[in-house]
Each structure stands twice: as C-alpha cells, then as structure tokens.
Amino acid sequence: MERTFYTEADLRAFAAQFARLLRAGDVVALSGPLGSGKTAFIKAAVAERLESDCVTSPTFTFWHRYGGDPPIDHLDFYRIESPREAEELGIEGALAGASILFVEWPERAAHLLPEMCFAIDLEGKGNGPRTMRLRGPRELQL
Ligand SMILES: Nc1ncnc2c1ncn2[C@@H]1O[C@H](COP(=O)(O)OP(=O)(O)OP(=O)(O)O)[C@@H](O)[C@H]1O
Ligand SMILES: [Mg+2]
C-alpha cells in the first residue's frame, strides 16, 4: 500500500488507525532517512493505543518500553555500528513476541528482527509531504 501525507496531522491520523489493528507479537519496522517521520509515526501510534496525549519523545538510547496491554516497545538502531554490537544490547525482552514492537533504522540490525513484520518506508523531509509504503504479513483494513 502506498499513501501520501501532506501534513504531519495526516501521517499521525493514519498511524493511529494502523495502531488499532496491531496485536501482541507484531513488529513494525520503520525505515527512511533522518527526519522522514519515523518517530512521529510511532508517537502517534503509541498515543492512540495508550489513549494519552502525553507521549513525549523518549530520551532513550536503544530501547524504550511503554505501558499498555500488550506493552509497546520502541527500538532505535540508529547508533548501532556493527551487528555484534546489536547482539550485546540486551534487548531480548523487546524481541520476545509478547509486545507490539516498533523499530527505527531496522536495517542496521535486520538479523535480529523476524521476517514476518510490517515494513513501513517513509520518504520526504522538512515540511514537505511524506510518501509511505507499507507491506505486511497480513491484510489490514486501512
Ligand atoms: N507530513 C509530515 N509527516 C511527518 N512529519 C512531518 C511532516 N511534516 C513535517 N514533519 C516534521 O518532520 C519531523 C520528523 O521527525 P521525526 O523525528 O519523526 O523523524 P525520524 O524519521 O524519526 O528521524 P530520525 O531518523 O532522526 O529518528 C518532525 O519534526 C515533524 O514535525
Ligand atoms: Mg526517529
């Protein structure tokens, strides 16, 4: 599926709708260059599932766990420099399949992620529109 979001609000609305359809064990890998909107997408998804507007940008390094049922995990592999480094992060808890997992920069540690995941590619920068491509292991009514 491909969509264009002309504003951040458009992207956030889609992310919220998408988030409602997720369940425990789902992994959502978000790729795209710096500033393309990966974190914006995840924040809107988390806010929707937690029914809270107070999700702020976490100052975590690699892994942040939000509450919720199932819980939501957020990994960011941006700073990973080698596959070995990724294995030493102690993020097994996020990969155990009991949560909904969002991953930024998944290509930096792709070997740690399951093959069956939702892959979201974002393109665009600044205040310009974003183009999103979404592939997934099952059809979603979006
Ligand atoms: N249509 C849009 N969709 C998403 N974000 C937008 C849009 N227009 C402007 N923005 C802005 O673009 C920025 C996207 O930043 P964001 O942190 O989500 O990017 P990122 O992909 O997570 O980058 P990084 O790789 O550095 O983590 C935000 O400041 C957001 O307000
Ligand atoms: Mg980000």
Side-chain angles (χ1 to χ4, degrees), residues 70-102:
I72 305 170
D73 288 309
H74 182 176
L75 295 174
D76 189 337
F77 291 152
Y78 181 66
R79 288 176 197 83
I80 285 180
E81 278 163 16
S82 73
R84 214 174 98 219
E85 187 184 339
E87 281 151 30
E88 290 164 1
L89 292 176
I91 55 170
E92 293 77 9
L95 297 164
S99 60
I100 293 170
L101 171 59
F102 291 93

Side-chain angles (χ1 to χ4, degrees), residues 37-92:
K38 302 178 292 297
T39 301
F41 189 105
I42 295 166
K43 280 166 71 174
V46 172
E48 173 69 18
R49 289 198 63 97
L50 299 186
E51 293 170 355
S52 136
D53 285 334
C54 58
V55 178
T56 54
S57 194
T59 53
F60 63 97
T61 321
F62 292 106
W63 176 20
H64 186 80
R65 168 161 284 194
Y66 301 95
D69 181 23
I72 305 170
D73 288 309
H74 182 176
L75 295 174
D76 189 337
F77 291 152
Y78 181 66
R79 288 176 197 83
I80 285 180
E81 278 163 16
S82 73
R84 214 174 98 219
E85 187 184 339
E87 281 151 30
E88 290 164 1
L89 292 176
I91 55 170
E92 293 77 9

Side-chain angles (χ1 to χ4, degrees), residues 11-28:
L11 177 138
R12 291 183 58 92
F14 179 88
Q17 206 189 341
F18 172 75
R20 277 182 236 126
L21 304 173
L22 296 175
R23 48 199 196 215
D26 283 340
V27 177
V28 185

Side-chain angles (χ1 to χ4, degrees), residues 104-121:
E104 295 188 55
W105 295 96
E107 58 278 7
R108 302 210 170 167
H111 63 296
L112 294 182
L113 301 175
E115 251 169 69
M116 297 283 280
C117 64
F118 290 97
I120 292 179
D121 283 296

